[in-house]
Amino acid sequence: MAHTPYRIYAVRYAHRQCTSSECFYGDYHASPMAMDYFVWALTNGTETVVVDLGFTEAVGTRRGRQFLRCPGKGLAELGIDCTAVQHVILTHFHYDHVGNYALFPNATFYVQDSEMAFYTGRYASQGAFRHSIEVDDVCALVRLNYERRLAFVDGSREIVPGIAVHHVGGHTAGMQIVTVAHARGQAVVASDASHYYRNFSEHIPFNTLHDLPRMYAAFAKIRELASSEDLVLPGHDPLVLERLQKVGDGIVEL
């Protein structure tokens, strides 16, 4: 069915300094780097879908992140009222992607079965996984499930015409990426399947991971789904602000 192409916006809400050893598997140089934090808005005038939620100021401050603004304020600059949003895609359950669920009281949240299973399962408390999670967020997602506000996906699913999710795993058990019908072709919001452009372009996994071989497979899936590499949008790269068109303070459009 024909549909109007979507406009894709990245809204930066936080920032931090990090090192290359944190971002690239097998890098031992600890070279200084920067990391930006985004939420994404996909809209075509008929449908609006938000991808990921960011963290709250309290969580960011406790974790030493520079909190720039509430993601909801950035979305409001685009004319998006969080209380009216009906569809929110959660690419995975890490603290910087699921924290602001309270801003979206009327949304359905789309998650992979395997992500919920893992983070309510036996290994979630192990240090390698626990440090990336806020327990209160996971508990809130469980409550949202009991309120029938979670929609579970097992693999791939179209969310609204022109926007679909695809399970890739790797970074987390239920990591999912998002394909979007854009005027220039099919774009991929890769989120943390590729934190930086360099991750997928040079096949270097991020250093926080669940399954290393699946991280490599995720790079291949991103290439398979994207019409071109310039339509791949990584999850944390400050270059997003340089490569996309500026439309506001910390807000850019593909």
Side-chain angles (χ1 to χ4, degrees), residues 40 51-52 91-92 97 166 168-169 171 175-180 187-197 199-200 218-219 221-223 231-236:
W40 304 82
V51 179
D52 289 334
T91 60
H92 60 301
H97 295 263
H166 310 268
V168 293
H171 180 58
M175 180 76 222
Q176 60 183 347
I177 59 178
V178 185
T179 52
V180 187
V188 173
V189 179
S191 185
D192 289 7
S194 186
H195 283 61
Y196 292 82
Y197 287 104
N199 289 122
F200 84 88
F219 297 149
K221 189 67 173 180
I222 290 168
R223 281 192 167 83
L231 293 176
V232 177
L233 302 170
H236 290 274

PDB file of all heavy atoms in Angstrom, residues 40 51-52 91-92 97 166 168-169 171 175-180 187-197 199-200 218-219 221-223 231-236:
ATOM      1  N   TRP A  40      14.551   9.574  18.683  1.00  0.00           N
ATOM      2  CA  TRP A  40      14.253   9.724  17.264  1.00  0.00           C
ATOM      3  C   TRP A  40      12.758   9.896  17.054  1.00  0.00           C
ATOM      4  O   TRP A  40      11.949   9.246  17.720  1.00  0.00           O
ATOM      5  CB  TRP A  40      14.743   8.491  16.484  1.00  0.00           C
ATOM      6  CG  TRP A  40      16.204   8.230  16.697  1.00  0.00           C
ATOM      7  CD1 TRP A  40      16.780   7.577  17.758  1.00  0.00           C
ATOM      8  CD2 TRP A  40      17.284   8.656  15.870  1.00  0.00           C
ATOM      9  NE1 TRP A  40      18.153   7.553  17.616  1.00  0.00           N
ATOM     10  CE2 TRP A  40      18.486   8.207  16.480  1.00  0.00           C
ATOM     11  CE3 TRP A  40      17.351   9.357  14.649  1.00  0.00           C
ATOM     12  CZ2 TRP A  40      19.736   8.443  15.921  1.00  0.00           C
ATOM     13  CZ3 TRP A  40      18.598   9.591  14.098  1.00  0.00           C
ATOM     14  CH2 TRP A  40      19.765   9.138  14.729  1.00  0.00           C
ATOM     15  N   VAL A  51      11.134   6.668  18.562  1.00  0.00           N
ATOM     16  CA  VAL A  51      12.053   5.548  18.775  1.00  0.00           C
ATOM     17  C   VAL A  51      12.945   5.876  19.970  1.00  0.00           C
ATOM     18  O   VAL A  51      13.726   6.824  19.925  1.00  0.00           O
ATOM     19  CB  VAL A  51      12.903   5.268  17.530  1.00  0.00           C
ATOM     20  CG1 VAL A  51      13.870   4.101  17.798  1.00  0.00           C
ATOM     21  CG2 VAL A  51      12.024   4.981  16.323  1.00  0.00           C
ATOM     22  N   ASP A  52      12.799   5.109  21.012  1.00  0.00           N
ATOM     23  CA  ASP A  52      13.565   5.204  22.252  1.00  0.00           C
ATOM     24  C   ASP A  52      13.185   6.429  23.075  1.00  0.00           C
ATOM     25  O   ASP A  52      12.597   7.389  22.576  1.00  0.00           O
ATOM     26  CB  ASP A  52      15.057   5.132  21.992  1.00  0.00           C
ATOM     27  CG  ASP A  52      15.495   3.730  21.573  1.00  0.00           C
ATOM     28  OD1 ASP A  52      14.805   2.763  21.941  1.00  0.00           O
ATOM     29  OD2 ASP A  52      16.519   3.608  20.877  1.00  0.00           O
ATOM     30  N   THR A  91      14.123   0.067  21.286  1.00  0.00           N
ATOM     31  CA  THR A  91      15.063  -0.805  20.579  1.00  0.00           C
ATOM     32  C   THR A  91      15.690  -1.839  21.507  1.00  0.00           C
ATOM     33  O   THR A  91      16.008  -2.944  21.077  1.00  0.00           O
ATOM     34  CB  THR A  91      16.166   0.006  19.887  1.00  0.00           C
ATOM     35  OG1 THR A  91      16.903   0.760  20.865  1.00  0.00           O
ATOM     36  CG2 THR A  91      15.573   0.948  18.842  1.00  0.00           C
ATOM     37  N   HIS A  92      15.862  -1.470  22.783  1.00  0.00           N
ATOM     38  CA  HIS A  92      16.351  -2.409  23.791  1.00  0.00           C
ATOM     39  C   HIS A  92      16.159  -1.759  25.151  1.00  0.00           C
ATOM     40  O   HIS A  92      15.693  -0.616  25.247  1.00  0.00           O
ATOM     41  CB  HIS A  92      17.802  -2.813  23.534  1.00  0.00           C
ATOM     42  CG  HIS A  92      18.795  -1.690  23.534  1.00  0.00           C
ATOM     43  ND1 HIS A  92      18.721  -0.609  22.665  1.00  0.00           N
ATOM     44  CD2 HIS A  92      19.910  -1.463  24.303  1.00  0.00           C
ATOM     45  CE1 HIS A  92      19.745   0.210  22.892  1.00  0.00           C
ATOM     46  NE2 HIS A  92      20.461  -0.277  23.880  1.00  0.00           N
ATOM     47  N   HIS A  97      17.644   4.205  26.952  1.00  0.00           N
ATOM     48  CA  HIS A  97      16.654   4.012  25.886  1.00  0.00           C
ATOM     49  C   HIS A  97      15.234   3.822  26.406  1.00  0.00           C
ATOM     50  O   HIS A  97      14.298   3.838  25.606  1.00  0.00           O
ATOM     51  CB  HIS A  97      17.059   2.819  25.013  1.00  0.00           C
ATOM     52  CG  HIS A  97      18.329   3.053  24.272  1.00  0.00           C
ATOM     53  ND1 HIS A  97      18.370   3.480  22.957  1.00  0.00           N
ATOM     54  CD2 HIS A  97      19.629   2.955  24.668  1.00  0.00           C
ATOM     55  CE1 HIS A  97      19.630   3.628  22.581  1.00  0.00           C
ATOM     56  NE2 HIS A  97      20.411   3.313  23.610  1.00  0.00           N
ATOM     57  N   HIS A 166      12.978  -4.943  13.323  1.00  0.00           N
ATOM     58  CA  HIS A 166      13.642  -6.192  12.942  1.00  0.00           C
ATOM     59  C   HIS A 166      14.600  -6.594  14.062  1.00  0.00           C
ATOM     60  O   HIS A 166      15.491  -5.826  14.435  1.00  0.00           O
ATOM     61  CB  HIS A 166      14.424  -6.015  11.636  1.00  0.00           C
ATOM     62  CG  HIS A 166      13.632  -5.394  10.545  1.00  0.00           C
ATOM     63  ND1 HIS A 166      12.923  -6.128   9.623  1.00  0.00           N
ATOM     64  CD2 HIS A 166      13.418  -4.079  10.243  1.00  0.00           C
ATOM     65  CE1 HIS A 166      12.316  -5.307   8.778  1.00  0.00           C
ATOM     66  NE2 HIS A 166      12.586  -4.067   9.131  1.00  0.00           N
ATOM     67  N   VAL A 168      17.755  -8.081  15.708  1.00  0.00           N
ATOM     68  CA  VAL A 168      19.120  -8.418  15.288  1.00  0.00           C
ATOM     69  C   VAL A 168      19.949  -8.989  16.437  1.00  0.00           C
ATOM     70  O   VAL A 168      20.921  -9.701  16.198  1.00  0.00           O
ATOM     71  CB  VAL A 168      19.854  -7.196  14.674  1.00  0.00           C
ATOM     72  CG1 VAL A 168      19.209  -6.795  13.355  1.00  0.00           C
ATOM     73  CG2 VAL A 168      19.916  -6.018  15.642  1.00  0.00           C
ATOM     74  N   GLY A 169      19.602  -8.672  17.687  1.00  0.00           N
ATOM     75  CA  GLY A 169      20.401  -9.159  18.806  1.00  0.00           C
ATOM     76  C   GLY A 169      21.796  -8.557  18.799  1.00  0.00           C
ATOM     77  O   GLY A 169      22.054  -7.514  18.212  1.00  0.00           O
ATOM     78  N   HIS A 171      24.048  -6.642  20.586  1.00  0.00           N
ATOM     79  CA  HIS A 171      24.299  -5.698  21.680  1.00  0.00           C
ATOM     80  C   HIS A 171      23.519  -6.113  22.918  1.00  0.00           C
ATOM     81  O   HIS A 171      24.042  -6.096  24.040  1.00  0.00           O
ATOM     82  CB  HIS A 171      23.900  -4.293  21.224  1.00  0.00           C
ATOM     83  CG  HIS A 171      24.104  -3.233  22.263  1.00  0.00           C
ATOM     84  ND1 HIS A 171      25.333  -2.976  22.847  1.00  0.00           N
ATOM     85  CD2 HIS A 171      23.237  -2.333  22.818  1.00  0.00           C
ATOM     86  CE1 HIS A 171      25.213  -1.980  23.715  1.00  0.00           C
ATOM     87  NE2 HIS A 171      23.950  -1.582  23.722  1.00  0.00           N
ATOM     88  N   MET A 175      17.884  -6.838  20.910  1.00  0.00           N
ATOM     89  CA  MET A 175      18.154  -5.606  20.163  1.00  0.00           C
ATOM     90  C   MET A 175      17.383  -5.613  18.853  1.00  0.00           C
ATOM     91  O   MET A 175      17.425  -6.584  18.096  1.00  0.00           O
ATOM     92  CB  MET A 175      19.660  -5.516  19.885  1.00  0.00           C
ATOM     93  CG  MET A 175      20.110  -4.289  19.117  1.00  0.00           C
ATOM     94  SD  MET A 175      20.135  -2.827  20.156  1.00  0.00           S
ATOM     95  CE  MET A 175      19.425  -1.641  19.005  1.00  0.00           C
ATOM     96  N   GLN A 176      16.649  -4.506  18.571  1.00  0.00           N
ATOM     97  CA  GLN A 176      15.938  -4.395  17.300  1.00  0.00           C
ATOM     98  C   GLN A 176      16.282  -3.076  16.623  1.00  0.00           C
ATOM     99  O   GLN A 176      16.573  -2.073  17.283  1.00  0.00           O
ATOM    100  CB  GLN A 176      14.427  -4.537  17.480  1.00  0.00           C
ATOM    101  CG  GLN A 176      13.753  -3.515  18.375  1.00  0.00           C
ATOM    102  CD  GLN A 176      12.255  -3.785  18.537  1.00  0.00           C
ATOM    103  OE1 GLN A 176      11.654  -4.583  17.811  1.00  0.00           O
ATOM    104  NE2 GLN A 176      11.641  -3.113  19.497  1.00  0.00           N
ATOM    105  N   ILE A 177      16.280  -3.105  15.295  1.00  0.00           N
ATOM    106  CA  ILE A 177      16.511  -1.913  14.501  1.00  0.00           C
ATOM    107  C   ILE A 177      15.209  -1.545  13.797  1.00  0.00           C
ATOM    108  O   ILE A 177      14.262  -2.329  13.776  1.00  0.00           O
ATOM    109  CB  ILE A 177      17.660  -2.116  13.485  1.00  0.00           C
ATOM    110  CG1 ILE A 177      17.342  -3.270  12.528  1.00  0.00           C
ATOM    111  CG2 ILE A 177      18.978  -2.379  14.230  1.00  0.00           C
ATOM    112  CD1 ILE A 177      18.416  -3.490  11.452  1.00  0.00           C
ATOM    113  N   VAL A 178      15.171  -0.344  13.225  1.00  0.00           N
ATOM    114  CA  VAL A 178      13.929   0.186  12.669  1.00  0.00           C
ATOM    115  C   VAL A 178      14.157   0.596  11.225  1.00  0.00           C
ATOM    116  O   VAL A 178      15.076   1.365  10.925  1.00  0.00           O
ATOM    117  CB  VAL A 178      13.436   1.405  13.481  1.00  0.00           C
ATOM    118  CG1 VAL A 178      12.070   1.871  12.973  1.00  0.00           C
ATOM    119  CG2 VAL A 178      13.385   1.085  14.972  1.00  0.00           C
ATOM    120  N   THR A 179      13.336   0.082  10.317  1.00  0.00           N
ATOM    121  CA  THR A 179      13.371   0.535   8.926  1.00  0.00           C
ATOM    122  C   THR A 179      12.272   1.562   8.718  1.00  0.00           C
ATOM    123  O   THR A 179      11.164   1.438   9.245  1.00  0.00           O
ATOM    124  CB  THR A 179      13.202  -0.623   7.934  1.00  0.00           C
ATOM    125  OG1 THR A 179      12.033  -1.391   8.268  1.00  0.00           O
ATOM    126  CG2 THR A 179      14.417  -1.527   7.949  1.00  0.00           C
ATOM    127  N   VAL A 180      12.602   2.580   7.913  1.00  0.00           N
ATOM    128  CA  VAL A 180      11.706   3.707   7.710  1.00  0.00           C
ATOM    129  C   VAL A 180      11.669   4.059   6.231  1.00  0.00           C
ATOM    130  O   VAL A 180      12.719   4.235   5.600  1.00  0.00           O
ATOM    131  CB  VAL A 180      12.172   4.944   8.516  1.00  0.00           C
ATOM    132  CG1 VAL A 180      11.136   6.060   8.426  1.00  0.00           C
ATOM    133  CG2 VAL A 180      12.475   4.584   9.965  1.00  0.00           C
ATOM    134  N   ALA A 187      15.491   3.866   5.012  1.00  0.00           N
ATOM    135  CA  ALA A 187      16.485   4.219   6.018  1.00  0.00           C
ATOM    136  C   ALA A 187      16.437   3.214   7.156  1.00  0.00           C
ATOM    137  O   ALA A 187      15.439   2.518   7.352  1.00  0.00           O
ATOM    138  CB  ALA A 187      16.229   5.631   6.538  1.00  0.00           C
ATOM    139  N   VAL A 188      17.516   3.156   7.917  1.00  0.00           N
ATOM    140  CA  VAL A 188      17.603   2.284   9.086  1.00  0.00           C
ATOM    141  C   VAL A 188      18.033   3.108  10.287  1.00  0.00           C
ATOM    142  O   VAL A 188      19.124   3.692  10.291  1.00  0.00           O
ATOM    143  CB  VAL A 188      18.596   1.129   8.874  1.00  0.00           C
ATOM    144  CG1 VAL A 188      18.784   0.336  10.170  1.00  0.00           C
ATOM    145  CG2 VAL A 188      18.129   0.203   7.768  1.00  0.00           C
ATOM    146  N   VAL A 189      17.166   3.179  11.278  1.00  0.00           N
ATOM    147  CA  VAL A 189      17.560   3.709  12.582  1.00  0.00           C
ATOM    148  C   VAL A 189      18.191   2.541  13.329  1.00  0.00           C
ATOM    149  O   VAL A 189      17.503   1.658  13.839  1.00  0.00           O
ATOM    150  CB  VAL A 189      16.344   4.287  13.339  1.00  0.00           C
ATOM    151  CG1 VAL A 189      16.787   4.807  14.710  1.00  0.00           C
ATOM    152  CG2 VAL A 189      15.684   5.401  12.536  1.00  0.00           C
ATOM    153  N   ALA A 190      19.505   2.525  13.349  1.00  0.00           N
ATOM    154  CA  ALA A 190      20.240   1.365  13.863  1.00  0.00           C
ATOM    155  C   ALA A 190      20.285   1.327  15.375  1.00  0.00           C
ATOM    156  O   ALA A 190      20.525   0.265  15.959  1.00  0.00           O
ATOM    157  CB  ALA A 190      21.658   1.351  13.303  1.00  0.00           C
ATOM    158  N   SER A 191      20.076   2.478  16.021  1.00  0.00           N
ATOM    159  CA  SER A 191      20.206   2.554  17.475  1.00  0.00           C
ATOM    160  C   SER A 191      21.526   1.895  17.873  1.00  0.00           C
ATOM    161  O   SER A 191      22.547   2.106  17.223  1.00  0.00           O
ATOM    162  CB  SER A 191      18.999   1.922  18.164  1.00  0.00           C
ATOM    163  OG  SER A 191      19.068   2.085  19.572  1.00  0.00           O
ATOM    164  N   ASP A 192      21.531   1.079  18.908  1.00  0.00           N
ATOM    165  CA  ASP A 192      22.793   0.555  19.419  1.00  0.00           C
ATOM    166  C   ASP A 192      23.261  -0.726  18.740  1.00  0.00           C
ATOM    167  O   ASP A 192      24.225  -1.350  19.182  1.00  0.00           O
ATOM    168  CB  ASP A 192      22.699   0.343  20.923  1.00  0.00           C
ATOM    169  CG  ASP A 192      22.668   1.663  21.671  1.00  0.00           C
ATOM    170  OD1 ASP A 192      22.588   2.722  21.007  1.00  0.00           O
ATOM    171  OD2 ASP A 192      22.709   1.649  22.908  1.00  0.00           O
ATOM    172  N   ALA A 193      22.603  -1.108  17.649  1.00  0.00           N
ATOM    173  CA  ALA A 193      23.201  -2.137  16.789  1.00  0.00           C
ATOM    174  C   ALA A 193      24.460  -1.585  16.134  1.00  0.00           C
ATOM    175  O   ALA A 193      25.319  -2.339  15.672  1.00  0.00           O
ATOM    176  CB  ALA A 193      22.203  -2.590  15.732  1.00  0.00           C
ATOM    177  N   SER A 194      24.569  -0.241  16.100  1.00  0.00           N
ATOM    178  CA  SER A 194      25.796   0.429  15.659  1.00  0.00           C
ATOM    179  C   SER A 194      25.838   1.788  16.340  1.00  0.00           C
ATOM    180  O   SER A 194      25.198   2.736  15.889  1.00  0.00           O
ATOM    181  CB  SER A 194      25.827   0.589  14.139  1.00  0.00           C
ATOM    182  OG  SER A 194      27.072   1.118  13.711  1.00  0.00           O
ATOM    183  N   HIS A 195      26.562   1.882  17.440  1.00  0.00           N
ATOM    184  CA  HIS A 195      26.610   3.146  18.178  1.00  0.00           C
ATOM    185  C   HIS A 195      27.173   4.282  17.326  1.00  0.00           C
ATOM    186  O   HIS A 195      26.688   5.405  17.394  1.00  0.00           O
ATOM    187  CB  HIS A 195      27.501   2.987  19.417  1.00  0.00           C
ATOM    188  CG  HIS A 195      26.867   2.258  20.549  1.00  0.00           C
ATOM    189  ND1 HIS A 195      26.442   0.953  20.443  1.00  0.00           N
ATOM    190  CD2 HIS A 195      26.593   2.658  21.832  1.00  0.00           C
ATOM    191  CE1 HIS A 195      25.930   0.569  21.614  1.00  0.00           C
ATOM    192  NE2 HIS A 195      26.011   1.578  22.460  1.00  0.00           N
ATOM    193  N   TYR A 196      28.209   3.972  16.555  1.00  0.00           N
ATOM    194  CA  TYR A 196      28.900   4.970  15.738  1.00  0.00           C
ATOM    195  C   TYR A 196      28.876   4.516  14.274  1.00  0.00           C
ATOM    196  O   TYR A 196      28.735   3.334  13.983  1.00  0.00           O
ATOM    197  CB  TYR A 196      30.359   5.133  16.192  1.00  0.00           C
ATOM    198  CG  TYR A 196      30.506   5.761  17.556  1.00  0.00           C
ATOM    199  CD1 TYR A 196      30.381   4.995  18.711  1.00  0.00           C
ATOM    200  CD2 TYR A 196      30.774   7.120  17.699  1.00  0.00           C
ATOM    201  CE1 TYR A 196      30.499   5.564  19.967  1.00  0.00           C
ATOM    202  CE2 TYR A 196      30.901   7.702  18.951  1.00  0.00           C
ATOM    203  CZ  TYR A 196      30.758   6.925  20.088  1.00  0.00           C
ATOM    204  OH  TYR A 196      30.869   7.493  21.327  1.00  0.00           O
ATOM    205  N   TYR A 197      29.035   5.474  13.371  1.00  0.00           N
ATOM    206  CA  TYR A 197      29.168   5.120  11.959  1.00  0.00           C
ATOM    207  C   TYR A 197      30.303   4.111  11.779  1.00  0.00           C
ATOM    208  O   TYR A 197      30.211   3.168  10.989  1.00  0.00           O
ATOM    209  CB  TYR A 197      29.464   6.363  11.118  1.00  0.00           C
ATOM    210  CG  TYR A 197      28.298   7.302  10.936  1.00  0.00           C
ATOM    211  CD1 TYR A 197      28.211   8.491  11.650  1.00  0.00           C
ATOM    212  CD2 TYR A 197      27.270   7.013  10.035  1.00  0.00           C
ATOM    213  CE1 TYR A 197      27.145   9.366  11.479  1.00  0.00           C
ATOM    214  CE2 TYR A 197      26.201   7.879   9.850  1.00  0.00           C
ATOM    215  CZ  TYR A 197      26.146   9.048  10.583  1.00  0.00           C
ATOM    216  OH  TYR A 197      25.086   9.904  10.409  1.00  0.00           O
ATOM    217  N   ASN A 199      31.342   1.767  13.697  1.00  0.00           N
ATOM    218  CA  ASN A 199      31.033   0.391  14.097  1.00  0.00           C
ATOM    219  C   ASN A 199      30.617  -0.445  12.898  1.00  0.00           C
ATOM    220  O   ASN A 199      31.177  -1.521  12.642  1.00  0.00           O
ATOM    221  CB  ASN A 199      29.944   0.363  15.168  1.00  0.00           C
ATOM    222  CG  ASN A 199      30.393   0.862  16.512  1.00  0.00           C
ATOM    223  OD1 ASN A 199      29.822   1.803  17.056  1.00  0.00           O
ATOM    224  ND2 ASN A 199      31.425   0.257  17.093  1.00  0.00           N
ATOM    225  N   PHE A 200      29.600   0.033  12.151  1.00  0.00           N
ATOM    226  CA  PHE A 200      29.136  -0.799  11.034  1.00  0.00           C
ATOM    227  C   PHE A 200      29.994  -0.628   9.787  1.00  0.00           C
ATOM    228  O   PHE A 200      30.166  -1.581   9.028  1.00  0.00           O
ATOM    229  CB  PHE A 200      27.651  -0.519  10.733  1.00  0.00           C
ATOM    230  CG  PHE A 200      27.366   0.644   9.850  1.00  0.00           C
ATOM    231  CD1 PHE A 200      27.327   0.490   8.467  1.00  0.00           C
ATOM    232  CD2 PHE A 200      27.121   1.902  10.376  1.00  0.00           C
ATOM    233  CE1 PHE A 200      27.054   1.567   7.645  1.00  0.00           C
ATOM    234  CE2 PHE A 200      26.846   2.981   9.561  1.00  0.00           C
ATOM    235  CZ  PHE A 200      26.821   2.819   8.189  1.00  0.00           C
ATOM    236  N   ALA A 218      24.433  -8.347  12.770  1.00  0.00           N
ATOM    237  CA  ALA A 218      23.597  -7.147  12.753  1.00  0.00           C
ATOM    238  C   ALA A 218      24.120  -6.129  11.751  1.00  0.00           C
ATOM    239  O   ALA A 218      23.327  -5.468  11.058  1.00  0.00           O
ATOM    240  CB  ALA A 218      23.541  -6.529  14.150  1.00  0.00           C
ATOM    241  N   PHE A 219      25.440  -5.995  11.631  1.00  0.00           N
ATOM    242  CA  PHE A 219      25.995  -5.082  10.629  1.00  0.00           C
ATOM    243  C   PHE A 219      25.547  -5.494   9.231  1.00  0.00           C
ATOM    244  O   PHE A 219      25.189  -4.656   8.395  1.00  0.00           O
ATOM    245  CB  PHE A 219      27.527  -5.069  10.703  1.00  0.00           C
ATOM    246  CG  PHE A 219      28.093  -4.569  12.002  1.00  0.00           C
ATOM    247  CD1 PHE A 219      29.298  -5.056  12.470  1.00  0.00           C
ATOM    248  CD2 PHE A 219      27.431  -3.603  12.750  1.00  0.00           C
ATOM    249  CE1 PHE A 219      29.840  -4.600  13.666  1.00  0.00           C
ATOM    250  CE2 PHE A 219      27.964  -3.135  13.950  1.00  0.00           C
ATOM    251  CZ  PHE A 219      29.177  -3.633  14.397  1.00  0.00           C
ATOM    252  N   LYS A 221      22.853  -7.179   8.483  1.00  0.00           N
ATOM    253  CA  LYS A 221      21.419  -6.937   8.357  1.00  0.00           C
ATOM    254  C   LYS A 221      21.137  -5.464   8.093  1.00  0.00           C
ATOM    255  O   LYS A 221      20.258  -5.127   7.286  1.00  0.00           O
ATOM    256  CB  LYS A 221      20.713  -7.391   9.638  1.00  0.00           C
ATOM    257  CG  LYS A 221      19.193  -7.393   9.538  1.00  0.00           C
ATOM    258  CD  LYS A 221      18.690  -8.442   8.566  1.00  0.00           C
ATOM    259  CE  LYS A 221      17.193  -8.571   8.572  1.00  0.00           C
ATOM    260  NZ  LYS A 221      16.707  -9.590   7.610  1.00  0.00           N
ATOM    261  N   ILE A 222      21.868  -4.593   8.739  1.00  0.00           N
ATOM    262  CA  ILE A 222      21.701  -3.156   8.496  1.00  0.00           C
ATOM    263  C   ILE A 222      21.969  -2.837   7.028  1.00  0.00           C
ATOM    264  O   ILE A 222      21.198  -2.115   6.375  1.00  0.00           O
ATOM    265  CB  ILE A 222      22.648  -2.352   9.410  1.00  0.00           C
ATOM    266  CG1 ILE A 222      22.179  -2.439  10.870  1.00  0.00           C
ATOM    267  CG2 ILE A 222      22.739  -0.899   8.963  1.00  0.00           C
ATOM    268  CD1 ILE A 222      23.193  -1.914  11.871  1.00  0.00           C
ATOM    269  N   ARG A 223      23.063  -3.377   6.494  1.00  0.00           N
ATOM    270  CA  ARG A 223      23.393  -3.134   5.079  1.00  0.00           C
ATOM    271  C   ARG A 223      22.332  -3.713   4.156  1.00  0.00           C
ATOM    272  O   ARG A 223      21.996  -3.126   3.128  1.00  0.00           O
ATOM    273  CB  ARG A 223      24.747  -3.750   4.758  1.00  0.00           C
ATOM    274  CG  ARG A 223      25.919  -2.922   5.219  1.00  0.00           C
ATOM    275  CD  ARG A 223      27.222  -3.459   4.607  1.00  0.00           C
ATOM    276  NE  ARG A 223      28.295  -2.510   4.799  1.00  0.00           N
ATOM    277  CZ  ARG A 223      29.021  -2.406   5.910  1.00  0.00           C
ATOM    278  NH1 ARG A 223      28.752  -3.219   6.918  1.00  0.00           N
ATOM    279  NH2 ARG A 223      29.985  -1.512   6.020  1.00  0.00           N
ATOM    280  N   LEU A 231      21.912   6.257   4.533  1.00  0.00           N
ATOM    281  CA  LEU A 231      20.596   6.209   5.156  1.00  0.00           C
ATOM    282  C   LEU A 231      20.609   5.371   6.438  1.00  0.00           C
ATOM    283  O   LEU A 231      19.557   5.058   6.985  1.00  0.00           O
ATOM    284  CB  LEU A 231      19.559   5.644   4.179  1.00  0.00           C
ATOM    285  CG  LEU A 231      19.240   6.520   2.963  1.00  0.00           C
ATOM    286  CD1 LEU A 231      18.279   5.804   2.027  1.00  0.00           C
ATOM    287  CD2 LEU A 231      18.656   7.865   3.390  1.00  0.00           C
ATOM    288  N   VAL A 232      21.804   5.038   6.926  1.00  0.00           N
ATOM    289  CA  VAL A 232      21.956   4.330   8.202  1.00  0.00           C
ATOM    290  C   VAL A 232      22.239   5.357   9.290  1.00  0.00           C
ATOM    291  O   VAL A 232      23.133   6.196   9.160  1.00  0.00           O
ATOM    292  CB  VAL A 232      23.098   3.302   8.137  1.00  0.00           C
ATOM    293  CG1 VAL A 232      23.291   2.640   9.503  1.00  0.00           C
ATOM    294  CG2 VAL A 232      22.809   2.254   7.072  1.00  0.00           C
ATOM    295  N   LEU A 233      21.470   5.281  10.368  1.00  0.00           N
ATOM    296  CA  LEU A 233      21.578   6.257  11.446  1.00  0.00           C
ATOM    297  C   LEU A 233      22.035   5.553  12.718  1.00  0.00           C
ATOM    298  O   LEU A 233      21.283   4.780  13.316  1.00  0.00           O
ATOM    299  CB  LEU A 233      20.233   6.934  11.667  1.00  0.00           C
ATOM    300  CG  LEU A 233      19.698   7.642  10.420  1.00  0.00           C
ATOM    301  CD1 LEU A 233      18.258   8.074  10.622  1.00  0.00           C
ATOM    302  CD2 LEU A 233      20.575   8.831  10.071  1.00  0.00           C
ATOM    303  N   PRO A 234      23.282   5.783  13.150  1.00  0.00           N
ATOM    304  CA  PRO A 234      23.799   5.130  14.360  1.00  0.00           C
ATOM    305  C   PRO A 234      23.236   5.767  15.613  1.00  0.00           C
ATOM    306  O   PRO A 234      22.706   6.889  15.594  1.00  0.00           O
ATOM    307  CB  PRO A 234      25.306   5.347  14.248  1.00  0.00           C
ATOM    308  CG  PRO A 234      25.438   6.628  13.474  1.00  0.00           C
ATOM    309  CD  PRO A 234      24.283   6.637  12.509  1.00  0.00           C
ATOM    310  N   GLY A 235      23.380   5.063  16.736  1.00  0.00           N
ATOM    311  CA  GLY A 235      22.680   5.456  17.945  1.00  0.00           C
ATOM    312  C   GLY A 235      23.307   6.556  18.777  1.00  0.00           C
ATOM    313  O   GLY A 235      22.594   7.248  19.499  1.00  0.00           O
ATOM    314  N   HIS A 236      24.634   6.756  18.696  1.00  0.00           N
ATOM    315  CA  HIS A 236      25.286   7.666  19.646  1.00  0.00           C
ATOM    316  C   HIS A 236      26.381   8.530  19.032  1.00  0.00           C
ATOM    317  O   HIS A 236      27.129   9.169  19.778  1.00  0.00           O
ATOM    318  CB  HIS A 236      25.894   6.856  20.789  1.00  0.00           C
ATOM    319  CG  HIS A 236      24.884   6.241  21.705  1.00  0.00           C
ATOM    320  ND1 HIS A 236      24.339   6.911  22.779  1.00  0.00           N
ATOM    321  CD2 HIS A 236      24.313   5.011  21.711  1.00  0.00           C
ATOM    322  CE1 HIS A 236      23.487   6.129  23.406  1.00  0.00           C
ATOM    323  NE2 HIS A 236      23.446   4.961  22.777  1.00  0.00           N
TER     324      HIS A 236
END
